[in-house]
Amino acid sequence: MIKFIKNFRKDEDGAVTVDWVVLTAAVVGLAIAAYGAIQTSTSNVLADTGVAVGTASTWVNGSGGTGGGDGGS
């Protein structure tokens, strides 16, 4: 029985698997934390981009600013 315990203590076959599980969990945790940190800013950028695209669309259709375009007809 003592020989079995000594061999079990020296055996390192499963250690690599445990390392990979811990490493993967850490990466997933960091990704979730990073997403939480940039979520609000990303929403604001997307809203501003939508406004800019809407404004550009108005200019392309000829109804924005002075001169240029055909007045939308």
Side-chain angles (χ1 to χ4, degrees):
M1 183 69 170
I2 296 196
K3 185 178 179 181
F4 172 76
I5 293 173
K6 286 182 180 180
N7 286 337
F8 182 76
R9 194 177 75 195
K10 291 180 184 179
D11 189 17
E12 296 182 2
D13 288 340
V16 174
T17 303
V18 173
D19 289 344
W20 277 106
V21 168
V22 170
L23 182 63
T24 303
V27 169
V28 169
L30 286 172
I32 291 171
Y35 177 75
I38 65 171
Q39 180 181 10
T40 304
S41 297
T42 304
S43 297
N44 292 340
V45 168
L46 288 173
D48 293 344
T49 303
V51 170
V53 169
T55 303
S57 174
T58 302
W59 280 91
V60 169
N61 289 332
S63 59
T66 58
D70 60 359
S73 35

